[in-house]
């Protein structure tokens, strides 16, 4: 241990800035001492793990997952950790079915939610490679009865959520009713565009429903059958498939929702709406490990197709937005983080590929309120401390006019006076539902005492801010995004 301590001190102190005075000046600075102690402890733990082999790391990962499950009240979690192509962890935790007390394992089947979009994108790219489709095809070529407002929308716009077609809501589609492809397309035609195609980014499940219909139009096969024969079977994803509640599916988990402190079964959805291409797949941890191996090897698609999949979309302005074809393209630890989450019918899922660390973390959970990203972050940090999510810390506020505007927006929202005209475009479902919810949250808290800027970043043409909002009896996080014309592009509050 003394050798580890000495080595750790050398590495940590070598990274600290030199002070103008002597060592006693550093010792007098309690903040510096605290940082040094934390860094040394972290380095000691990493040295122990490296010398002891993966067993300690695996034990710490499993402990962290169990802690998150307890805190989040998750019945079951499926976890895969793959580093350098080697499987470090592949197992289930907890109960896949509470009523029958069935333990989860690496073979337990979870629902994908929107993680399924990356598979839909591959099904589309297979049609592109087959010459049956082009990314710049106008949608009207394949949907001739589409509204005139869709004339500029391309296949690529659907893949990248830049079409302007709104996300469908329960007001647009009855989740208890079965629809055929034509009826789903007709429902989409009725939705007014939120913005000019290619000009902005906004998540749209509707766009991916249309992509599934499009794959069938050009290939003659249901998109799920395309995936089965050309993706799942070649990669050895033996239990991956489209959802079916009628079929007997071995090892299928049940999905739940938290009602206060009590678990309830997921709500029923019409069978046809559990087969759409916006995220309706059954997958196990074993299936995801096979998928990760295929991604690492560049299988199924040609190299140029994979490059397109993982390239951030360019907006009409020339600026890029951090989303490819079914994947978010972010950054962590100085390198790319390619990831996507999903949520549907009492399930949550997330796959995160930390490219600089050659690390993939996959988390599947069976309760609607689960936060799989928190588990991903905990596991990634244990594997590589440099992958820790940066802590939110106050930034110098160099835009007081923006902060003043944000304060006005908070007070306006609390009064229920936020209007569609305040937005550059209105996201589906924001009015009246979300606006009323935010008013209900903010009104009892009174005027904010302090707004502390925590984050500022460019997202396409917009500027996004995060603030810590301090009230007399509560602290909330506010995310707000402004378009170039100064109007809102996004607004949301949540507990810190």
């Amino acid at each position: 241990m003394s050798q580890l301590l000495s080595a750790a001190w050398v590495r940590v102190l070598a990274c600290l800035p030199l002070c103008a005075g002597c060592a006693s000046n550093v010792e007098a600075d309690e903040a510096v001492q605290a940082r040094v102690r934390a860094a040394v402890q972290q380095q000691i733990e990493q040295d122990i793990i490296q010398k002891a082999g993966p067993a300690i790391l695996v034990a710490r990962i499993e402990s962290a997952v169990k802690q998150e499950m307890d805190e989040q009240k998750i019945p079951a979690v499926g976890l895969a950790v793959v580093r350098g192509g080697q499987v470090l962890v592949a197992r289930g935790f907890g109960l896949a079915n509470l009523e029958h007390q069935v333990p989860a394992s690496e073979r337990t089947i979870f629902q994908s939610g929107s993680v399924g979009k990356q598979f839909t994108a591959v099904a589309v790219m297979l049609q592109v490679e087959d010459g049956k489709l082009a990314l710049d095809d106008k949608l009207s070529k394949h949907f001739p009865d589409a509204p005139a407002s869709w004339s500029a929308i391309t296949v690529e716009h659907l893949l990248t959520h830049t079409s302007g077609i709104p996300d469908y809501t329960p007001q647009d589609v009855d989740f208890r009713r079965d629809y055929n492809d034509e009826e789903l397309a007709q429902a989409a035609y009725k939705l007014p565009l939120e913005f000019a195609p290619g000009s902005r980014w906004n998540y749209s499940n509707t766009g991916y429903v249309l992509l599934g219909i499009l794959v069938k139009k050009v290939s003659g096969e249901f998109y799920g059958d395309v995936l089965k024969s050309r993706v799942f079977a070649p990669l050895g994803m033996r239990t991956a498939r489209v959802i079916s509640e009628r079929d007997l599916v071995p090892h299928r988990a049940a999905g739940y929702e938290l009602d206060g402190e009590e678990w309830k079964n997921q709500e029923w959805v019409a069978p046809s709406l559990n087969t759409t291409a916006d995220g309706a797949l059954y997958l196990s941890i074993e299936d995801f490990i096979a998928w990760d191996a295929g991604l690492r090897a560049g299988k199924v698609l040609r190299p140029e197709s994979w490059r397109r999949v993982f390239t951030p979309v360019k907006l009409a302005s020339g600026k890029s937005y951090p989303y490819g074809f079914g994947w978010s393209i972010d950054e962590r630890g100085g390198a790319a983080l390619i990831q996507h989450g999903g949520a549907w019918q009492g399930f949550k899922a997330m796959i995160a590929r930390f490219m600089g660390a050659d690390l993939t973390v996959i988390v599947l959970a069976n309760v609607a309120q689960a936060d799989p990203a928190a588990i991903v972050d905990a596991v990634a940090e244990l594997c590589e401390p440099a992958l820790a999510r940066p802590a939110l810390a106050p930034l110098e506020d160099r835009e007081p006019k923006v902060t003043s505007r944000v304060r006005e927006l908070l007070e306006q929202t609390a009064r229920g006076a936020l209007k569609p005209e305040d937005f550059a475009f209105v996201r589906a479902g924001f009015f009246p539902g979300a606006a009323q919810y935010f008013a209900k949250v903010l009104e009892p808290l009174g005027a904010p005492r302090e707004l502390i800027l925590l984050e500022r970043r460019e997202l396409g043409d917009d500027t996004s801010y995060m603030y810590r909002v301090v009230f007399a009896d509560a602290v909330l996080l506010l995310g707000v995004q402004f378009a170039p014309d100064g109007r809102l592009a996004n607004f949301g509050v949540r507990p810190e």
Side-chain angles (χ1 to χ4, degrees):
M1 177 64 76
S2 61
Q3 291 178 337
L4 286 175
L5 179 61
S6 176
W9 268 106
V10 169
R11 279 192 289 273
V12 171
L13 291 176
C15 296
L16 291 175
L18 295 175
C19 65
C22 61
S24 61
N25 291 332
V26 176
E27 293 170 356
D29 187 335
E30 294 183 1
V32 171
Q33 287 187 39
R35 289 198 298 271
V36 169
R37 284 194 296 270
V40 169
Q41 181 62 36
Q42 186 180 67
Q43 187 60 60
I44 289 172
E45 292 174 358
Q46 285 300 112
D47 285 345
I48 291 172
I49 289 171
Q50 289 174 5
K51 290 180 178 292
I56 290 180
L57 175 58
V58 170
R60 293 183 68 197
I61 288 172
E62 293 178 346
S63 177
V65 171
K66 291 174 183 177
Q67 180 178 337
E68 286 287 346
M69 290 177 67
D70 288 342
E71 292 177 357
Q72 297 187 38
K73 301 186 183 304
I74 305 174
V77 161
L79 175 71
V81 183
V82 184
R83 186 164 63 178
Q86 301 299 310
V87 178
L88 186 64
V89 180
R91 61 161 294 186
F93 300 79
L95 295 175
N97 187 295
L98 292 173
E99 292 167 306
H100 299 290
Q101 295 288 289
V102 179
S105 75
E106 66 276 12
R107 299 199 301 174
T108 296
I109 303 294
F110 293 79
Q111 291 190 21
S112 68
S114 286
V115 171
K117 287 181 170 64
Q118 58 202 251
F119 297 96
T120 299
V122 170
V124 171
M125 293 305 293
L126 286 168
Q127 309 313 308
V128 172
E129 291 185 355
D130 290 348
K132 298 177 180 178
L133 195 62
L135 291 175
D136 60 0
D137 274 358
K138 295 294 192 294
L139 217 55
S140 55
K141 175 181 177 180
H142 306 284
F143 295 85
D145 53 347
S149 60
W150 287 26
S151 60
I153 297 176
T154 66
V155 173
E156 184 168 359
H157 287 145
L158 295 184
L159 286 164
T160 56
H161 299 296
T162 57
S163 69
I165 299 173
D167 200 5
Y168 61 80
T169 70
Q171 287 71 48
D172 308 311
V173 175
D174 181 356
F175 290 0
R176 300 299 181 94
R177 175 195 155 191
D178 276 314
Y179 294 80
N180 60 35
D181 284 356
E182 178 60 26
E183 290 170 328
L184 287 171
Q186 290 294 330
Y189 297 162
K190 296 175 184 177
L191 302 176
L193 293 188
E194 293 177 329
F195 48 80
S199 66
R200 306 188 60 84
W201 185 93
N202 191 30
Y203 197 83
S204 175
N205 285 298
T206 313
Y208 270 75
V209 171
L210 292 168
L211 286 171
I213 298 171
L214 178 59
V215 167
K216 186 174 182 179
K217 281 176 173 286
V218 300
S219 71
E221 291 185 274
F222 173 53
Y223 88 98
D225 293 334
V226 173
L227 291 177
K228 180 180 179 180
S229 63
R230 301 187 65 178
V231 180
F232 299 156
L235 294 182
M237 300 172 67
R238 293 177 297 174
T239 56
R241 53 165 296 168
V242 171
I243 292 172
S244 169
E245 294 185 354
R246 180 176 173 82
D247 290 352
L248 300 181
V249 179
H251 311 295
R252 172 167 41 194
Y256 301 99
E257 297 178 2
L258 271 174
D259 184 0
E261 295 295 310
E262 188 177 358
W263 283 309
K264 298 288 188 181
N265 284 307
Q266 65 181 355
E267 291 288 342
W268 183 82
V269 171
S272 68
L273 293 181
N274 256 336
T275 63
T276 53
D278 53 332
L281 299 179
Y282 280 148
L283 295 153
S284 69
I285 283 296
E286 287 185 342
D287 293 325
F288 268 110
I289 290 172
W291 173 237
D292 180 66
L295 292 172
R296 289 169 178 272
K299 293 182 178 179
V300 179
L301 297 178
R302 299 168 188 161
E304 57 269 27
S305 295
W306 282 122
R307 281 194 291 272
R308 291 299 300 271
V309 167
F310 296 124
T311 298
V313 60
K314 275 198 173 183
L315 303 179
S317 66
K319 291 186 177 181
S320 64
Y321 192 95
Y323 197 93
F325 296 175
W327 292 89
S328 292
I329 316 295
D330 300 305
E331 184 271 335
R332 185 78 64 82
L337 166 55
I338 302 173
Q339 62 181 342
H340 212 284
W344 182 239
Q345 271 204 301
F347 290 89
K348 286 285 191 71
M350 187 159 196
I351 177 171
R353 305 178 65 219
F354 299 87
M355 306 306 287
D358 199 10
L359 176 72
T360 301
V361 182
I362 299 150
V363 175
L364 310 175
N366 67 337
V367 69
Q369 289 79 8
D371 180 7
I375 300 176
V376 167
D377 287 343
V379 171
E381 183 176 357
L382 286 171
C383 293
E384 293 288 344
L387 298 179
R389 181 183 291 275
L392 292 173
L395 300 176
E396 181 183 355
D397 191 346
R398 298 180 179 180
E399 298 173 284
K401 290 183 178 179
V402 172
T403 303
S404 177
R405 170 86 189 288
V406 169
R407 185 181 292 273
E408 292 173 0
L409 286 168
L410 280 168
E411 295 171 354
Q412 184 179 346
T413 304
R415 297 196 313 271
L418 206 58
K419 307 180 298 298
E421 295 76 27
D422 297 319
F423 288 77
F425 73 98
V426 178
R427 295 171 186 264
F430 191 90
F431 290 101
Q436 291 175 349
Y437 169 77
F438 293 138
K440 184 178 179 180
V441 169
L442 293 171
E443 192 274 333
L445 300 178
R449 291 184 172 182
E450 188 177 12
L451 270 67
I452 303 168
L453 180 64
L454 301 176
E455 183 181 80
R456 181 190 188 279
R457 61 184 298 209
E458 303 296 325
L459 280 175
D461 296 316
D462 299 339
T463 307
S464 175
Y465 301 84
M466 182 179 291
Y467 291 88
R468 178 179 291 122
V469 186
V470 181
F471 297 91
D473 298 315
V475 178
L476 298 177
L477 289 178
L478 165 69
V480 62
Q481 192 170 317
F482 291 105
D485 64 3
R487 290 186 294 167
L488 283 168
N490 203 359
F491 179 96
V493 292
R494 61 180 174 86
E496 184 169 20

